[in-house]
Amino acid sequence: MDRIVITGMGVVSPIGIGLEAFWKSLIEGRSGACLVSHFDAKNYACRIAAEVRDFNPQDYIERKKTRRMDRFTQFAMAATKLAINDSGLDLAKEDPDQIGVIVGSGIGGLTTLEEEFTVLTQRGPKRVSPFLIPKLISNMAAGEIAIEYGFSGLNYAVSSACATANNAIGEALRHIRYGDAQIIVCGGTEAAITQLGISGFSQAGALAESYNENPEKASRPFDKNREGFLMGEGAGIVILETEEHARKRNARIYAELAGYGVTDDAYHITSPSPEGKSQAKAVVMALNDAKVNREDVNYINAHGTSTPINDRAETQVIKNVFGTRATSIPISSTKSMTGHLLGAAGGVELIASVLCMQNKTAHPTINYETPDPECDLDYVPNHARDQEITCFVSNSFGFGGHNAVLVAKRYNGAN
């Protein structure tokens, strides 16, 4: 079976747009947290988030096209352009029928929904935009990418809450293996820092609400004083292709995407199963799919949300899978810096992990200040660390019990 490789990566994040800026912030342990600027949040219990700053959609999309796109689609379009440029693909030489797109969003166009509902209630139904539905539906990021580049291969969106991007990338891996495409643009995108988004997650008890005066300290995965996650936004897009195709065009290959595991807790709409059995099963499935032994894994990018239950459960999952080795595997939470990008998280975190592999460095989990006896593994606290990474696991677990795990390996040339 032909190996599947990553040849391009594009990221739009609260800690940087583009690989260079993103990596610099990662290794420096820079937080993207700030006071919410998208709306007046002074009366909200949580007034902080991790926003993408200095983003101009017209740097990536024609001006007139931006008006028909919600912010989550704009992020996806920008990250896709960055990923395609990074891949070195000459699209004029490619068969568009062999290029697919699988890009998901956990929530979709929440900004558009809020804006147009206000129009409806204040000005009446005749004033609602004809672009309402095309802007808000979560599949439109994938659709717009295909339209922009003429990709006529398989195309759909995944929506599995915080597991969305990992599911999208994992399904892309399978499609290429099945011979459905030679190249797939895949990942996740999200822009839910809105009045409803913040209110809903806050009322569900999911957000950190005690750090409004100190936003950069709010996201503190695995720390004893964590209380909830920090809302983030952005997009993470990768280009997957067959090894044969990549080598034929002399592409730079970042890594081999080798394994994918997917399960559901079947337990609770928002809380993970405390024993972590289904999550552990997803990790084992991904390892088996990648044909790697547990001893081969020397880095983990954790789901690491900074919520009391999730971090405790994920720690148990890692112990369940790796046994006595669990304490010796470096574990990073990218969310400590980016906040929780919901449906985009897995894409951004896969890119972070590949960059760590490329640079032989484990990025830090910032704000790890007070150890929690129930979270007692090596979370690479506060400072980046030199680390040889040859095989990593990247976890994503979502509301609804969705679990999606990816495994990637260092690419060492053709077999």
Side-chain angles (χ1 to χ4, degrees):
M1 181 185 295
D2 199 5
R3 291 189 288 177
I4 313 306
V5 295
I6 299 169
T7 57
M9 303 191 295
V11 63
V12 174
S13 85
I15 60 171
I17 298 172
L19 298 180
E20 184 177 350
F22 179 59
W23 176 245
K24 188 173 188 294
S25 293
L26 279 178
I27 59 171
E28 291 178 355
R30 187 180 304 166
S31 172
C34 61
L35 290 170
V36 170
S37 68
H38 294 345
F39 61 93
D40 184 357
K42 67 176 181 292
N43 294 322
Y44 288 67
C46 181
R47 301 190 293 277
I48 57 177
E51 299 177 347
V52 175
R53 285 163 279 189
D54 302 319
F55 176 73
N56 181 359
Q58 293 164 27
D59 291 340
Y60 311 94
I61 317 159
E62 291 179 23
R63 177 189 293 268
K64 66 179 182 180
K65 292 180 180 179
T66 64
R67 293 196 292 269
R68 74 184 190 203
M69 297 179 189
D70 187 270
R71 187 170 168 88
F72 87 99
T73 300
Q74 293 174 359
F75 285 158
M77 294 291 285
T80 296
K81 184 171 185 177
L82 291 170
I84 290 173
N85 290 344
D86 184 52
S87 74
L89 278 165
D90 183 348
L91 297 179
K93 296 180 179 178
E94 300 295 338
D95 179 355
D97 290 344
Q98 287 295 313
I99 304 177
V101 182
I102 308 176
V103 174
S105 177
I107 294 179
L110 198 55
T111 299
T112 295
L113 183 64
E114 289 185 19
E115 290 174 349
E116 294 303 321
F117 184 73
T118 299
V119 170
L120 173 67
T121 55
Q122 295 183 355
R123 302 171 64 189
K126 294 291 187 182
R127 305 300 295 180
V128 170
S129 171
F131 290 111
L132 166 63
I133 301 303
K135 285 177 72 173
L136 74 85
I137 51 180
S138 60
N139 68 296
M140 198 48 66
E144 289 280 18
I145 291 166
I147 292 166
E148 177 71 16
Y149 295 99
F151 298 153
S152 49
L154 65 95
N155 188 298
Y156 60 92
V158 174
S159 186
S160 50
C162 311
T164 292
N166 268 16
N167 279 136
I169 295 166
E171 295 304 317
L173 172 68
R174 289 181 172 178
H175 277 293
I176 297 177
R177 283 176 176 170
Y178 295 159
D180 296 336
Q182 288 184 330
I183 302 166
I184 298 184
V185 178
C186 52
T189 185
E190 205 77 83
I193 301 175
T194 71
Q195 296 178 71
L196 273 175
I198 293 289
S199 298
F201 280 112
S202 183
Q203 289 298 100
L207 300 183
E209 297 180 352
S210 299
Y211 293 89
N212 290 321
E213 306 305 319
N214 199 1
E216 294 182 356
K217 293 291 186 181
S219 186
R220 43 197 320 110
F222 306 106
D223 182 82
K224 185 177 182 180
N225 296 317
R226 67 192 184 278
E227 65 173 27
F229 68 74
L230 178 75
M231 281 275 283
E233 62 179 0
I237 301 292
V238 297
I239 308 297
L240 297 187
E241 57 186 295
T242 63
E243 178 191 33
E244 179 183 9
H245 185 274
R247 289 176 62 83
K248 190 175 293 184
R249 67 179 188 86
N250 296 314
R252 180 214 36 240
I253 294 175
Y254 280 111
E256 176 187 357
L257 186 65
Y260 171 48
V262 57
T263 65
D264 194 274
D265 290 349
Y267 173 74
H268 189 270
I269 57 172
T270 59
S271 296
S273 172
E275 297 87 7
K277 291 181 180 178
S278 291
Q279 294 167 322
K281 183 179 178 183
V283 177
V284 173
M285 287 175 65
L287 293 172
N288 290 342
D289 188 42
K291 297 181 173 58
V292 300
N293 298 318
R294 300 176 200 202
E295 293 74 20
D296 297 329
V297 175
N298 50 17
Y299 182 66
I300 297 171
N301 189 290
H303 186 52
T305 59
S306 185
T307 57
I309 296 174
N310 275 278
D311 290 0
R312 185 166 59 244
E314 187 169 15
T315 297
Q316 188 60 52
V317 167
I318 294 169
K319 290 178 178 179
N320 290 348
V321 174
F322 295 100
T324 57
R325 284 197 68 241
T327 57
S328 63
I329 303 173
I331 303 164
S332 301
S333 171
T334 306
K335 293 181 183 72
S336 65
M337 291 172 275
T338 63
H340 195 339
L341 274 65
L342 309 177
V348 171
E349 289 159 18
L350 176 64
I351 292 170
S353 302
V354 170
L355 291 174
C356 286
M357 178 184 283
Q358 288 277 308
N359 291 281
K360 300 180 180 180
T361 304
H363 81 65
T365 301
I366 67 169
N367 297 324
Y368 186 81
E369 297 169 344
T370 306
D372 182 343
E374 294 185 283
C375 297
D376 55 355
L377 301 179
D378 176 7
Y379 306 111
V380 194
N382 303 312
H383 301 285
R385 179 190 305 166
D386 292 343
Q387 177 68 36
E388 191 78 20
I389 300 171
T390 56
C391 179
F392 68 78
V393 168
S394 184
N395 293 331
S396 285
F397 310 132
F399 279 9
H402 303 292
N403 306 312
V405 178
L406 301 174
V407 172
K409 299 189 291 187
R410 176 185 292 168
Y411 180 74
N412 292 316
N415 287 327

